[in-house]
Amino acid sequence: MDLKDVFFKEGFIFDLKGNDKIEVFDEMIEVLYKNNRIRDKENFKYAILKREEEGPTGIGNGIAIPHGVSDSVNVPTIIYGYKESGLDYESLDDTDVSMVFMIAVPKGSNNEHLKILSQLARTLVHKEVVEGIRNAKSPEEILKVF
């Protein structure tokens, strides 16, 4: 699976407005809904928040990967959001998060979210990848990094 295939053109937010992670989740979920990636915003938000209760999805280095598996998801998707000023996110390294990669996967998709999460996390350990994404100004620039 190529991560580039899980992103979608409208799924890049370069100026997140939310001031905390719940507001950012709502903002990103709205984009997923408007682009028919999910059918039910509340159902998917519940899946995201339930996963957040299990442990932090802020993986460090200014990156968070919240993810949810829900029957309201139409197609496996990654949506990207960037907030230059950063968010208090309860990250593993206690730093603010500026890059959020939200993963949405349909229930019953044979651990597809784990495959996507694993591949994304392995990619984001490379400093040059993270810097390339952080400095990107368009979806095309981000996809080129991947």
Side-chain angles (χ1 to χ4, degrees):
M1 172 195 43
D2 191 340
L3 283 178
K4 291 185 274 191
D5 297 334
V6 188
F7 285 97
F8 64 109
K9 182 181 171 190
E10 298 81 6
F12 295 86
I13 307 168
F14 290 94
D15 59 343
L16 286 168
K17 307 285 188 261
N19 293 311
D20 61 38
K21 72 179 180 179
I22 302 301
E23 289 178 4
V24 164
F25 290 169
D26 287 339
E27 190 175 345
M28 296 176 85
I29 289 169
E30 185 65 30
V31 172
L32 289 170
Y33 181 75
K34 284 183 176 177
N35 287 278
N36 201 32
R37 298 292 169 148
I38 62 172
R39 293 182 297 282
D40 183 325
K41 293 185 277 189
E42 290 305 313
N43 182 282
F44 182 66
K45 182 177 178 181
Y46 176 80
I48 288 285
L49 294 177
K50 186 128 178 81
R51 171 53 189 88
E52 287 293 312
E53 288 175 4
E54 295 173 15
T57 58
I59 64 169
N61 200 21
I63 300 167
I65 310 177
H67 47 285
V69 177
S70 166
D71 56 9
S72 67
V73 177
N74 293 325
V75 59
T77 301
I78 300 174
I79 181 171
Y80 169 77
Y82 180 75
K83 184 162 181 86
E84 188 171 0
S85 61
L87 297 161
D88 179 16
Y89 198 94
E90 304 165 26
S91 292
L92 293 174
D93 64 357
D94 290 323
T95 62
D96 285 353
V97 163
S98 58
M99 295 183 290
V100 180
F101 294 86
M102 181 180 281
I103 301 171
V105 176
K107 194 174 259 183
S109 57
N110 297 330
N111 293 322
E112 188 78 15
H113 77 288
L114 295 177
K115 295 172 191 169
I116 295 169
L117 178 62
S118 172
Q119 190 171 352
L120 183 60
R122 279 194 316 268
T123 303
L124 293 173
V125 298
H126 301 286
K127 188 176 184 174
E128 65 278 3
V129 170
V130 173
E131 285 308 307
I133 295 167
R134 188 171 278 133
N135 295 323
K137 303 294 182 219
S138 72
E140 294 78 17
E141 289 180 29
I142 289 178
L143 293 175
K144 191 180 289 185
V145 173
F146 280 100

